[in-house]
Amino acid sequence: MLVKMTMWMDSSVVLLLLILFCHPQGSAQGRHERRLLNQLLKNYNAMERPVANESEPLILSFGLTLQQLIDVDEKNQQIITNIWLTLEWIDSNLSWNSSQYGGIKDIRMNPKFLWKPDILMYNSADERIDSTIPTNVVVQHNGTCTYIPPGIFKSTCKIDIMWFPFDDQQCIMKFGSWTYDGRALDLRLYSEEADMSAYIDNGEWILLGFRGKRNVIFYTCCPEPYVDITFTLHIRRRTLYHGFNLIIPCVLISSMALLGFALPPDSGEKLTLGVTILLSLTVFMLQLAQTLPPTSDAVSIIGTYFACTMIMVAFSVVMTVVVLNYHHRNSDTHEMPQCIKTLFLKWLPFFLRMKRRGRKTNSRHVFFKNKMKELDRKERSSRSLIANVLDIDDDFRSHNSTTSYLSVRTNEETVNSHVCGVTQKEISTIIRELRFITNRLKTEDEATVIINEWKFAAMVMDRVCLILFTLFTLLSTFACLFTAPHLVA
């Protein structure tokens, strides 16, 4: 048993030694790639522009892949995007025969060992200017180098707030070499349209396009041409958020301002409602001002609408004060001018189809009152003076002329007995009191008529303001909404 175990251990050791000595150190592919890298970098200079003929420019293909629109900062007029750059050029110093290196057709190399173009974003708003993350360069056997660095780019963007929140924005991203002119580095568009196959939709903006254009510019400082690639990002704002949070509340608040003219002046809340609505609009105006950039180039359409609504509400408060002033006027302090009486008591009520409900009743009352006075006057004319003062019947005038002398005599004695009981002073006092009461009633009736006229004038003014402000609100709302480039996005 011991002999068999010893023989098994010896055979295992021999097999292990055969594996260690016979197995090659590293794979054949690893040996070829290491030898290829050593050969390529042996005399390579990363500062040298890799062209066969130094009088010719190096052709660089440039493209973009848009991954995400992260943010559009209207306040600071900046845009933040997640972009992959695509740079492709031919390095004449990095070509090899793949058959001599185990069929290797491409390798990955660190960009710090190679020459790479100094492409930067000209309108970058980032502190580091170069926002890309270095990645390996894919080098093919024919010398073609492909470099795709990702990055979070913060760029400046001129925000046009004229049609906010129904606006379109076009933000440019200008890329070019920082040191090479067009005679040394010639930029070419990899594709006229940026790659958006992996784009993630933004909740606030709709992507309409991302096109590139090659530009050749001659600056005043230098005679050489400078080539840049400018991509234009075309986006459109989604209006649902701002519609629910700004537009609809503003329309509702401005509509509530119209209800102030339908509120009776005696309620005591007519002026309070207008001031409260004005304060509410001020709060929404401050919220809007915090969103938009502080620029005087243009006024947004929603800002114009808010300003018109605030002016309308402020003017409605002024008109409410005038209406309340008219409503509480009386004959002791104000006398209605003839022009106001003609305008507010005749013309405007006629056009507005307004009628004074108490006017017919008063006319009937005056008619019957006049009739009663006329009948009373006729009755008193048939009585003697003393009988009218003492309010006694003078029956002897109603008798026939053939009435006996005894009856007439009896009536005269009766009248004389009453006259003897009333002095001339008491009669004057009674007449004076009657005149005072009559004048007082007449004065009160005239004052009531004047007060009712002022109240009716205030009611007419309320109706006129209600119609005018309703038309103004509708016109301003439709003008602001339907002059926008688009309503729904």
Side-chain angles (χ1 to χ4, degrees):
M1 186 68 181
L2 185 59
V3 176
K4 289 182 179 181
M5 187 175 292
T6 304
M7 292 177 61
W8 180 78
M9 292 179 61
D10 292 340
S11 61
S12 299
V13 172
V14 172
L15 182 60
L16 181 60
L17 291 175
L18 289 174
I19 292 173
L20 291 176
F21 285 102
C22 296
H23 193 273
Q25 300 294 323
S27 63
Q29 179 70 21
R31 290 200 309 271
H32 293 312
E33 187 172 349
R34 186 183 306 111
R35 183 165 56 90
L36 175 59
L37 289 173
N38 292 333
Q39 181 63 30
L40 293 176
L41 298 177
K42 183 177 181 180
N43 296 318
Y44 190 87
N45 188 355
M47 303 295 294
E48 177 189 356
R49 189 168 58 94
V51 290
N53 188 355
E54 295 181 353
S55 62
E56 295 180 355
L58 177 68
I59 298 177
L60 173 66
S61 297
F62 182 83
L64 292 182
T65 301
L66 180 62
Q67 296 292 324
Q68 184 182 8
L69 176 61
I70 298 177
D71 184 32
V72 178
D73 189 357
E74 295 96 341
K75 192 75 173 178
N76 298 316
Q77 303 196 50
Q78 295 177 355
I79 183 172
I80 302 176
T81 51
N82 181 6
I83 294 177
W84 296 357
L85 303 183
T86 302
L87 292 83
E88 190 174 292
W89 70 95
I90 296 178
D91 194 330
S92 59
N93 300 324
L94 296 178
S95 59
W96 69 92
N97 189 351
S98 59
S99 61
Q100 296 178 1
Y101 295 93
I104 298 177
K105 295 184 179 297
D106 55 68
I107 57 175
R108 277 72 179 163
M109 302 181 67
N110 196 309
K112 68 179 182 179
F113 298 118
L114 304 179
W115 178 93
K116 63 183 182 67
D118 55 345
I119 301 297
L120 296 176
M121 178 185 285
Y122 286 176
N123 60 326
S124 175
D126 201 321
E127 297 177 355
R128 297 179 292 115
I129 304 297
D130 186 8
S131 304
T132 59
I133 300 174
T135 59
N136 290 333
V137 179
V138 180
V139 183
Q140 298 182 8
H141 66 282
N142 59 356
T144 302
C145 300
T146 304
Y147 182 49
I148 308 177
I152 305 297
F153 291 87
K154 181 189 292 186
S155 58
T156 59
C157 179
K158 179 65 175 177
I159 303 295
D160 184 11
I161 64 171
M162 182 175 181
W163 299 110
F164 176 87
F166 311 103
D167 54 333
D168 289 4
Q169 301 296 336
Q170 294 188 358
C171 302
I172 64 170
M173 299 181 186
K174 187 176 181 180
F175 295 89
S177 174
W178 196 255
T179 56
Y180 289 106
D181 55 41
R183 295 180 299 184
L185 185 63
D186 187 10
L187 270 72
R188 304 287 179 85
L189 268 173
Y190 190 84
S191 175
E192 292 186 357
E193 190 79 22
D195 184 10
M196 295 179 290
S197 57
Y199 176 72
I200 301 174
D201 289 334
N202 188 275
E204 185 180 359
W205 298 90
I206 298 175
L207 179 61
L208 299 180
F210 198 15
R211 298 185 62 85
K213 181 182 179 182
R214 180 178 180 270
N215 302 311
V216 180
I217 302 176
F218 290 88
Y219 294 99
T220 56
C221 65
C222 314
E224 303 87 3
Y226 284 86
V227 184
D228 67 77
I229 302 295
T230 302
F231 280 87
T232 303
L233 181 65
H234 188 190
I235 53 179
R236 174 174 294 174
R237 191 188 304 271
R238 300 179 189 268
T239 58
L240 184 63
Y241 173 81
H242 297 283
F244 271 98
N245 292 277
L246 285 178
I247 299 176
I248 293 180
C250 182
V251 173
L252 293 178
I253 290 175
S254 60
S255 302
M256 290 175 61
L258 303 176
L259 298 178
F261 296 109
L263 196 65
D266 293 328
S267 64
E269 299 295 332
K270 199 176 182 67
L271 187 61
T272 305
L273 178 62
V275 174
T276 304
I277 293 173
L278 186 61
L279 293 177
S280 302
L281 284 175
T282 305
V283 172
F284 277 98
M285 196 72 177
L286 293 176
Q287 181 181 355
L288 179 65
Q290 294 177 356
T291 304
L292 300 179
T295 177
S296 299
D297 296 338
V299 179
S300 64
I301 187 172
I302 187 67
T304 304
Y305 178 66
F306 268 73
C308 292
T309 305
M310 289 186 66
I311 292 174
M312 185 268 292
V313 173
F315 194 66
S316 69
V317 172
V318 175
M319 295 307 299
T320 300
V321 174
V322 175
V323 169
L324 292 176
N325 184 277
Y326 273 30
H327 183 78
H328 293 286
R329 285 186 178 185
N330 52 51
S331 59
D332 296 334
T333 58
H334 296 85
E335 182 179 356
M336 182 175 290
Q338 186 62 35
C339 59
I340 296 180
K341 187 177 297 185
T342 303
L343 180 63
F344 287 97
L345 300 183
K346 294 181 180 180
W347 291 356
L348 291 178
F350 174 76
F351 290 110
L352 298 176
R353 311 299 297 172
M354 296 178 65
K355 296 180 181 179
R356 300 174 65 179
R357 297 299 179 186
R359 194 170 182 83
K360 289 184 177 181
T361 305
N362 292 336
S363 62
R364 292 196 189 106
H365 177 70
V366 172
F367 175 76
F368 287 117
K369 187 176 181 181
N370 293 334
K371 281 292 184 182
M372 293 298 294
K373 287 183 177 180
E374 185 178 355
L375 294 175
D376 185 63
R377 193 181 302 112
K378 290 181 179 180
E379 181 183 359
R380 287 179 178 272
S381 64
S382 62
R383 299 160 62 185
S384 64
L385 175 62
I386 300 300
N388 283 329
V389 173
L390 299 177
D391 197 14
I392 60 177
D393 294 333
D394 202 0
D395 295 333
F396 68 92
R397 294 194 180 201
S398 59
H399 292 288
N400 197 346
S401 59
T402 58
T403 307
S404 62
Y405 174 76
L406 181 61
S407 299
V408 174
R409 186 68 179 172
T410 305
N411 289 333
E412 288 182 355
E413 290 177 357
T414 305
V415 171
N416 290 332
S417 64
H418 282 287
V419 171
C420 293
V422 180
T423 63
Q424 185 67 28
K425 184 177 180 181
E426 291 177 348
I427 294 174
S428 301
T429 303
I430 293 173
I431 295 174
R432 187 169 59 252
E433 292 295 334
L434 291 174
R435 288 176 179 174
F436 175 78
I437 294 173
T438 304
N439 292 332
R440 182 65 177 269
L441 293 175
K442 183 179 179 181
T443 304
E444 289 180 356
D445 290 341
E446 292 177 352
T448 303
V449 170
I450 294 176
I451 291 174
N452 290 334
E453 287 180 350
W454 281 114
K455 288 184 177 181
F456 186 72
M459 188 184 303
V460 173
M461 184 177 294
D462 251 347
R463 184 70 58 84
V464 172
C465 291
L466 177 63
I467 295 174
L468 293 180
F469 283 102
T470 301
L471 292 177
F472 179 81
T473 302
L474 293 176
L475 289 177
S476 60
T477 301
F478 285 111
C480 291
L481 293 180
F482 288 100
T483 54
H486 61 277
L487 292 179
V488 180

